[in-house]
């Protein structure tokens, strides 16, 4: 740059906002013309730091002219980045999708061993998407290097062959060259290289006679090159938001110099202006308190957030308080609902995961479309797939479809479920054809029934995001994408770019701005509350980088932490000084982030006059008495559950043996489970629950009992092998050939338990016991029971007989797979608690004696299973000695055993029979209250009853 080409600096002072000073400067000397005063600024190029700054400048010009009754031809307003990209129109520039794919192709085709300084140990089997992940890293690296106006080769040349990192950058430069050749072969230019060439050859736009750089403290690299080139052709003015007295603290482009790194920051009323709180939510609450209590009129407050995490909390808190906010940085695409649906679809296409399918099923549009294709109601589809998930734990959608096609699925309606699964599989398979059309069809499918209105703010965001998706899909139809480009690669690229998309909402006049740190320089609200004022955000600091550590950045001429400190110290000084006379600036900082990790106060707050430093340090680093988190409000019940009254329901037409235990443990929960037929369904279940695991073991033992060649055998090896094979067969029949890992572990556990059971079975055979029936229902034994006139049904797991001294003995056993064995007698009772008495219970509930080890005279029945089994067995074999007990299949093999209830005799059996009659009569009478609050062991309904069943239910 020649001496004559240097820009001319103008200092606006900081007694008024930047936008006022900038508007006044641009409108100097405007002349009258036409019907009234006018200003023709078409020959001016205004360079501002951000899009938001450009919007504010146009607003300020319009307002100033409007107040004067004037008209104007506005100037061109560009950001430094847009200036550097000047001259790219009409050229075939590779978009981000093409660039990512070109990088991925280069990496996949490269022999990684030829790049030892980048890949010292190339993976033998890299992850499927490794190339795209690394492509994104390399593309980001080239964008960072663009700050200095160089690429990877330029970085290598600046470092020189003596630098310790030279060889690594030489490897990077070679890959970069291959990447550029790949684009060139497709007829494309790399965007970063094209910008660099354009910046070095920029010419003023047509009709532009001068340029004005306004309060842009943060540009480097290509923007500086482009401005220098412009300054050699037209006059360039630089407006600095500071007084003339500080001119030596800025360079020729108005950027803060190193003097700002040590300049003291004087905050008026620092004790009241600095707010130290705990987490992001507390910062948002502090900003809301300031918004509600500031003395300025509406529109005179702006809120800044240096930390994006805090910005999100502020938007949430203000929204809940009825205060609408506007964030000029927009929202990332990965926060948009379409992105969630697309990401889930990509997961389904990539892995075939049933969980991904279940997530899509819960999207209203997708559910409606699948219901339409399958001919089922949406609720039936959801219920059916939840049942399928709970019963069979399919790992993939293909597994679920195979179960449905085989007719083995415990879910209805099976034809509709199969049709829905097939419809979703078809959408995944279509990606292998016309990718863009397949994605478009799926997104239309997933939004079935939705209508969009462009004037609706939410719908406008939908449409804007959809347009961006179309742009990316259109790019994927062009080179370098070819037939070899896989659908999964395209999905990954689409997701990555869609997630990085910025969506900009419309701003209403009543909105409170939530601005990023750099936007605050252009904010003219007299009251400013800046949250997230912690180190790392203000001043912003560069995080560690595998390719660009701090020392290397400085060597390459890139932004450094020192430059950012100088920039942010200047911005903080401006925010304070521009409001010293007629406003206020508050600074809010937190002790920790949302994860509880500690945060440091901004070092800017410690750049104070020496006399204030001790007090400031104590205030910032010592907890204050009022900094203790507020105690949460006491919990209150919002509403009570109102189940349908028993009078509206018919009593059951039969009672299962296990139903008596459910009623005795809690009559109300019995009402929910057995009368209302309520069931808990876990859609996220990953393994068999206790009942399913028990059924797996039961079914294997039943197969043994029905095998004529083995049920009377005491060959432990043959028994073990048979049971292990049965477990594998049963698991495959229920869960498919490919078992989920948790189920595979459970199957191994079941085989281990049954191996121990084989030894116990062999011992029983040697003791003379022979299995005569297995899984046999009472009515099949000719031993039908009833209670209170209601038929009682039951299925005996194992019925054995033997003859001892000429007398027939019958043993009924129930398989138990609980982790620890239980003595059958005590398992059927519970003690009367200290807060209870005999009079609290009907007489039929009280047993004549308690287990001997309890040292109590009597107890309460809580189960009738074995007494009823014994009664059925006695009817099956009149005159025989009947014994009832448990066949334990516990976790520890050493505990596997058969335990019988030896003192289950006449008075206990008679009491059990009376209890069964009492339970049946109570059920017929609709007696399902009060609930039992003290036994949570069987409570699948616990999540419904917060802090007590009786208090949670409005029972009639």
């Amino acid at each position: 740059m020649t001496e004559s080409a240097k820009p001319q600096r103008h200092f606006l002072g900081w007694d008024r906002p930047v936008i006022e000073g900038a508007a006044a400067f641009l409108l100097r000397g405007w002349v009258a013309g036409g019907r009234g005063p006018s200003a023709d600024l078409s020959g001016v190029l205004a360079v501002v730091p951000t899009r938001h700054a450009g919007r504010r400048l146009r607003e300020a010009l319009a307002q100033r002219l409007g107040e004067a009754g004037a008209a104007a031809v506005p100037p061109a307003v560009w950001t430094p980045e847009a200036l550097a990209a000047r001259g790219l129109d009409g050229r075939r520039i590779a978009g981000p999708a093409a660039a990512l794919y070109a990088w991925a192709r280069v990496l996949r085709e490269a022999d990684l061993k030829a790049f030892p300084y980048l890949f010292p140990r190339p993976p033998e089997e890299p992850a499927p998407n490794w190339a795209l992940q690394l492509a994104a890293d390399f593309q980001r690296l080239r964008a960072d290097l663009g700050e200095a106006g160089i690429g990877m080769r330029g970085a290598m040349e600046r470092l020189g062959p003596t630098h310790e990192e030279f060889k690594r950058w030489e490897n990077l430069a070679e890959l970069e060259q291959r990447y550029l050749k790949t684009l060139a072969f497709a007829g494309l230019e790399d965007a970063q290289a094209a910008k660099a060439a354009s910046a070095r050859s920029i010419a003023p736009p047509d009709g532009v006679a001068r340029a004005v750089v306004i309060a842009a403290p943060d540009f480097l690299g290509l923007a500086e090159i482009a401005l220098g080139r412009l300054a050699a052709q037209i006059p360039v003015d630089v407006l600095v938001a500071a007084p003339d007295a500080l001119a030596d603290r800025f360079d020729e482009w108005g950027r803060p110099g190193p003097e700002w790194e040590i300049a003291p920051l004087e905050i008026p009323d620092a004790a009241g202006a600095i707010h130290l709180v705990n987490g992001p939510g507390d910062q948002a609450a502090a900003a809301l308190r300031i918004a509600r209590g500031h003395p300025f009129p509406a529109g005179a407050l702006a809120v800044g957030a240096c930390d994006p995490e805090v910005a999100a909390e502020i938007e949430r808190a203000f929204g809940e308080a009825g205060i609408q906010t506007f964030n000029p940085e927009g929202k990332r695409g990965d926060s948009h609902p379409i992105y969630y649906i697309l990401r889930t679809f990509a997961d389904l296409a990539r892995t075939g995961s049933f969980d991904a399918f279940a997530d899509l099923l819960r999207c209203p549009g997708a559910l409606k479309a699948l219901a339409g294709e399958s001919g089922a109601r949406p609720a039936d589809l959801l219920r059916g797939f939840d049942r399928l998930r709970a019963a069979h734990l399919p790992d993939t959608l293909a597994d679920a479809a195979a179960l449905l096609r085989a007719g083995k699925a415990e879910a209805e309606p099976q034809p509709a479920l199969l049709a829905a699964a097939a419809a979703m599989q078809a959408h995944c398979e279509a990606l292998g054809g016309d990718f863009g059309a397949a994605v478009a069809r799926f997104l239309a499918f997933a939004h079935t029934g939705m209508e969009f209105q462009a004037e609706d703010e939410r719908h406008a965001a939908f449409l804007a995001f959809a347009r961006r998706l179309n742009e990316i899909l259109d790019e994927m139809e062009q080179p370098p994408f070819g037939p070899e480009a896989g659908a999964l690669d395209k999905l990954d690229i689409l997701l990555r770019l869609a997630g990085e998309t910025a969506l900009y909402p419309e701003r209403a006049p009543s909105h409170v701005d939530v601005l990023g740190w750099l936007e605050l320089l252009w904010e003219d609200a007299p009251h400013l509350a800046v949250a997230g004022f912690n180190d790392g955000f203000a001043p912003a600091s560069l995080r560690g980088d595998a390719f660009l550590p701090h020392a290397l950045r400085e060597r390459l001429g890139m932004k450094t932490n020192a430059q950012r400190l100088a920039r942010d110290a200047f911005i903080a000084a401006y925010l304070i000084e521009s409001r010293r006379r007629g406003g206020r600036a508050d600074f809010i900082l937190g002790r920790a982030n949302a994860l509880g990790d500690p945060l440091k106060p901004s070092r800017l707050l410690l750049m104070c006059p020496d006399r204030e430093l001790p007090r400031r340090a104590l205030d910032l680093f010592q907890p204050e008495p009022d900094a203790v988190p507020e105690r949460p409000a006491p919990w209150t019940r919002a509403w009570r559950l109102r189940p349908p009254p028993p009078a509206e329901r018919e009593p059951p037409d039969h009672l299962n043996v296990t139903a008596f235990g459910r009623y005795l443990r809690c009559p109300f929960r019995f009402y929910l489970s057995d009368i209302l037929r309520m069931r808990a369904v876990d859609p996220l279940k990953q393994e068999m629950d206790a009942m399913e695991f028990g059924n797996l073991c039961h079914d294997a033992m039943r197969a043994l009992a029905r095998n004529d060649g083995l049920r009377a055998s005491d060959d432990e090896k043959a028994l073990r092998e048979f049971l292990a094979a049965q477990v594998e067969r049963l698991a495959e029949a229920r869960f498919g050939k490919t078992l989920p890992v948790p189920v595979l572990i459970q199957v191994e556990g079941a085989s281990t338990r049954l191996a121990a059971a084989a030894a116990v079975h062999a011992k029983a055979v040697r003791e003379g016991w022979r299995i005569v029936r297995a899984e046999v229902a009472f009515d099949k034994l000719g031993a039908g029971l009833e209670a209170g006139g209601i038929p009682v049904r039951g299925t005996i797991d194992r019925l054995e007989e033997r003859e001892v001294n000429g007398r027939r003995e019958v043993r009924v056993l129930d398989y138990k797979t609980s982790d620890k064995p239980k003595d059958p007698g005590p398992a059927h009772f519970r003690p009367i608690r200290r807060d209870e008495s005999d009079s609290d219970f009907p007489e039929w509930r009280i047993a004549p004696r308690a287990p001997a080890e309890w040292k109590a005279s009597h107890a309460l029945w809580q189960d009738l299973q074995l007494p009823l089994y014994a009664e059925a067995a006695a009817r099956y074999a009149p005159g025989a000695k009947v014994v009832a007990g448990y066949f334990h299949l516990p976790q520890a093999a050493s505990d596997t055993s058969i335990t019988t209830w030896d003192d289950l005799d006449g008075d206990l059996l008679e009491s059990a029979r009376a209890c069964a009659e009492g339970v049946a009569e109570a059920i017929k009478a609709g007696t399902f209250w009060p609930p039992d609050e003290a036994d949570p062991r069987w409570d699948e309904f616990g999540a419904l009853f917060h802090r007590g069943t009786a208090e949670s239910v409005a029972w009639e």
Side-chain angles (χ1 to χ4, degrees):
M1 186 186 300
T2 64
E3 186 68 27
S4 60
K6 282 190 175 182
Q8 183 176 355
R9 297 186 305 174
H10 306 269
F11 289 85
L12 302 177
W14 46 28
D15 56 347
R16 60 177 175 172
V18 164
I19 51 177
E20 289 185 15
F25 181 88
L26 291 173
L27 293 173
R28 287 186 310 177
W30 50 283
V31 296
R35 291 180 296 174
S38 66
D40 185 358
L41 302 179
S42 60
V44 177
L45 171 63
V47 180
V48 297
T50 64
R51 288 164 47 108
H52 178 65
R55 179 179 68 82
R56 297 305 310 274
L57 178 63
R58 283 187 285 266
E59 286 178 353
L61 289 171
Q63 181 178 357
R64 189 177 180 92
L65 289 166
E67 290 171 353
V73 179
V77 182
W78 289 0
T79 64
E81 291 73 21
L83 183 67
R86 166 78 179 168
L88 299 187
D89 292 343
R91 297 165 67 173
R92 293 200 64 201
I93 306 299
L100 277 176
Y101 182 66
W103 266 117
R105 274 186 59 179
V106 166
L107 291 167
R108 287 200 180 101
E109 294 170 2
D111 178 6
L112 300 186
K113 294 179 181 178
F115 301 89
Y117 296 93
L118 272 178
F119 308 102
R121 294 181 181 177
E124 294 183 5
E125 295 183 8
N129 61 343
W130 73 274
L132 275 175
Q133 289 181 343
L134 195 54
D137 291 339
F138 284 170
Q139 193 68 347
R140 176 192 53 78
L141 175 60
R142 294 192 77 252
D144 289 345
L145 290 169
E147 288 182 3
I150 58 175
M152 293 172 175
R153 181 163 295 279
M156 178 195 75
E157 292 169 351
R158 285 193 186 184
L159 293 177
T162 60
H163 194 276
E164 60 183 354
E165 290 286 307
F166 179 79
K167 289 292 187 182
R168 188 158 77 133
W169 284 92
E170 190 176 41
N171 283 180
L172 284 167
E174 172 59 27
L175 287 173
E176 180 186 52
Q177 191 63 24
R178 297 185 186 187
Y179 155 75
L180 294 173
K181 285 182 178 179
T182 300
L183 289 182
F185 185 77
L188 299 172
E189 292 183 75
D190 171 67
Q192 203 66 37
K195 287 178 185 178
S198 175
R200 291 179 172 87
S201 61
I202 190 172
D206 292 341
V208 169
R210 68 180 177 125
V212 183
V213 180
I214 309 172
D218 195 41
F219 64 87
L220 279 178
L222 295 181
E224 183 176 357
I225 292 170
L227 284 169
R229 176 68 181 161
L230 277 181
Q233 302 173 71
I234 58 174
V236 175
D237 295 300
V238 176
L239 307 187
V240 184
D244 284 311
L246 301 179
D248 59 345
R249 295 189 186 182
F250 298 89
D251 69 5
E252 61 187 353
W253 293 108
R255 294 173 300 198
E259 297 81 5
W260 286 97
E261 297 174 34
I262 57 173
L265 189 68
E266 297 193 28
I267 303 175
D269 183 26
I274 299 174
H275 308 266
L276 177 63
V277 296
N278 290 323
D282 301 305
Q283 292 195 56
L288 184 59
R289 285 195 296 272
I290 292 171
R292 285 171 164 167
H294 75 84
F296 300 97
L301 169 75
V303 178
C306 309
D307 180 353
E309 184 178 72
V310 176
E313 282 293 318
I314 289 174
E315 292 182 52
R316 179 194 59 77
F318 277 48
E320 291 177 355
I323 302 174
Q324 297 301 308
T325 58
F326 173 77
N327 188 336
E329 294 185 4
K331 292 185 179 296
R332 279 179 57 96
D334 54 14
S335 66
H336 197 277
I338 295 181
Y339 178 86
Y340 170 80
I341 292 173
L342 192 60
R343 186 189 66 193
T344 309
F345 179 56
D347 186 24
L348 176 62
R350 186 183 300 111
T351 66
S353 161
F354 186 85
D355 287 344
F357 169 72
D359 287 343
L360 284 173
L361 196 65
R362 280 161 173 76
C363 298
L367 176 60
K368 185 174 182 179
L370 287 172
E373 296 211 5
S374 65
R377 295 187 309 164
D380 291 339
L381 271 189
L382 275 178
R383 188 180 301 110
F385 277 113
D386 280 348
R387 176 59 185 153
L388 179 70
R389 177 77 175 81
H392 299 283
L393 302 176
D395 196 38
T396 66
L397 181 57
D399 292 340
L403 286 166
L404 290 166
R405 280 194 296 270
K408 297 179 179 179
E410 295 181 16
E412 295 293 342
Q414 290 201 15
L417 300 181
L418 184 57
M424 195 59 73
Q425 286 178 309
H427 278 288
C428 293
E429 292 166 1
L431 293 171
D434 186 336
F435 178 80
V439 171
R441 280 197 302 272
F442 168 74
L443 289 177
F445 173 86
H447 292 87
T448 296
M450 293 188 66
E451 295 182 0
F452 295 96
Q453 303 293 332
E455 60 274 10
D456 185 294
E457 181 180 335
R458 295 168 301 169
H459 292 178
F462 261 82
L463 296 173
F465 192 72
R467 283 192 292 271
R468 176 58 184 144
L469 289 179
N470 279 331
E471 291 171 2
I472 300 170
L473 292 172
D474 287 344
E475 188 181 345
M476 290 181 180
E477 297 297 323
Q478 309 299 323
F481 290 93
E484 78 288 347
L488 296 184
D489 275 357
K490 289 182 176 180
L491 268 178
D492 284 342
I493 292 172
L494 179 64
L495 278 174
R496 186 179 295 274
L497 298 181
E500 294 171 354
T501 294
L503 302 172
Y504 299 100
E506 291 294 324
R507 182 186 185 278
S510 61
H511 285 181
V512 172
D513 291 335
V514 180
L515 305 172
W517 176 244
L518 294 180
E519 308 285 6
L520 294 175
L521 191 63
W522 283 74
E523 180 51 55
D524 60 348
H527 194 178
L528 185 64
V530 185
F533 210 66
N534 289 91
D535 225 41
F537 303 105
S541 62
L542 298 162
R543 308 294 191 227
D545 189 291
F547 293 105
L548 294 171
H550 188 75
L552 198 60
R553 294 180 68 91
E554 192 169 8
R555 174 101 177 231
L556 295 175
M558 302 172 67
K559 291 176 186 175
T560 64
N561 281 333
Q563 290 170 314
R564 294 198 174 197
L565 173 59
R567 178 201 70 186
D568 292 347
F570 155 65
I571 293 175
Y574 169 80
L575 299 182
I576 294 167
E577 297 301 331
S578 62
R579 292 168 175 79
R580 188 176 290 274
R581 295 181 181 176
R584 177 184 177 88
D586 285 273
F587 299 94
I588 306 167
L589 61 153
R591 293 183 176 86
N593 62 18
L595 298 177
D597 300 326
L599 296 174
K600 293 186 293 186
S602 169
R603 72 188 74 176
L604 299 175
L605 295 175
L606 296 171
M607 291 169 55
C608 56
D610 291 346
R611 66 182 182 277
E612 297 180 21
L613 183 58
R615 181 71 259 168
R616 184 76 58 82
L618 286 173
D619 290 344
L620 293 176
F621 289 98
Q622 289 188 10
E624 298 178 356
D626 60 356
V628 177
E630 296 181 6
R631 296 182 65 182
W635 182 86
T636 57
R637 192 179 308 281
W639 47 274
R640 290 185 174 188
L641 294 169
R642 294 183 177 274
E648 297 179 2
R649 302 287 166 159
E650 292 292 329
D653 59 3
H654 72 276
L655 290 173
N656 195 283
V657 166
T658 54
F660 293 93
R662 289 193 293 274
Y663 184 92
L664 291 168
R665 281 187 288 271
C666 178
F668 178 65
R669 284 164 176 77
F670 173 88
Y671 180 68
L672 298 179
S673 63
D674 288 59
I675 305 300
L676 298 185
R677 303 293 182 185
M678 290 177 64
R679 295 289 184 274
V681 175
D682 180 8
L684 302 179
K685 193 170 73 167
Q686 299 294 321
E687 61 185 14
M688 290 182 277
D689 59 30
M691 179 175 292
E692 290 168 332
F693 181 80
N695 288 340
L696 179 66
C697 296
H698 276 60
D699 292 346
M701 293 296 290
R702 177 178 59 188
L704 171 63
R706 293 180 176 178
N707 185 289
D708 294 336
L710 283 175
R711 66 184 176 189
S713 171
D714 64 350
D715 183 341
E716 294 184 23
K717 181 175 181 297
L719 292 169
R720 283 196 304 272
E721 291 175 351
F722 176 84
L723 289 171
Q726 289 300 310
V727 167
E728 292 182 6
R729 179 186 65 81
L730 291 165
E732 181 179 322
R734 187 175 188 86
F735 303 109
K737 291 184 178 297
T738 305
L739 301 182
V741 173
V743 173
L744 188 62
I745 294 171
Q746 287 181 304
V747 167
E748 290 296 321
S751 296
T752 300
R753 295 191 189 205
L754 294 175
V760 174
H761 174 89
K763 181 174 180 290
V765 169
R766 288 192 288 270
E767 291 174 349
W769 291 106
R770 297 291 183 270
I771 300 174
V772 293
R773 304 294 287 270
E775 298 287 335
V776 58
F778 288 175
D779 57 351
K780 299 296 184 183
L781 290 175
L785 302 181
E786 66 173 32
I790 302 176
V792 176
R793 296 179 184 174
T795 300
I796 297 173
D797 289 345
R798 182 177 175 120
L799 180 64
E800 302 175 324
E801 291 188 21
R802 70 175 178 181
E803 189 171 316
V804 178
N805 298 326
R807 185 181 180 188
R808 182 184 183 188
E809 292 187 3
V810 175
R811 183 164 69 176
V812 289
L813 297 177
D814 192 58
Y815 295 121
K816 293 295 182 185
T817 52
S818 51
D819 286 345
K820 293 184 178 180
K822 298 179 293 185
D823 191 350
H828 284 68
F829 304 110
R830 78 163 176 85
I832 297 177
R833 305 181 191 116
R834 292 182 178 180
D835 60 338
E836 299 171 336
S837 66
D838 293 4
S839 59
D840 294 333
F841 303 96
E843 184 177 351
W844 49 260
R845 180 77 191 273
I846 301 173
R849 63 178 186 270
E853 60 269 30
W854 288 7
K855 298 181 179 178
S857 60
H858 53 265
L860 298 177
W861 286 105
Q862 74 165 5
D863 197 353
L864 301 176
Q865 185 179 23
L866 288 186
L868 292 174
Y869 282 174
E871 183 178 348
R875 295 190 181 191
Y876 159 73
K881 178 182 178 182
V882 175
V883 179
Y886 292 153
F887 193 132
H888 298 291
L889 305 170
Q891 191 172 38
S894 59
D895 290 336
T896 304
S897 60
I898 293 174
T899 307
T900 56
W901 189 352
D902 294 329
D903 62 347
L904 181 58
D905 52 18
D907 61 339
L908 278 179
L909 287 172
E910 184 178 342
S911 176
R913 159 52 60 183
C915 185
E917 294 287 340
V919 168
E921 293 294 342
I923 292 171
K924 287 164 59 178
T927 305
F928 302 109
W929 199 262
D932 191 322
E933 305 278 10
D935 189 355
R937 290 175 297 170
W938 312 96
D939 194 3
E940 64 176 332
F941 302 104
L944 302 177
F945 308 135
H946 302 290
R947 306 196 182 186
T949 308
E951 292 296 320
S952 302
V953 176
W955 180 254
E956 296 181 10

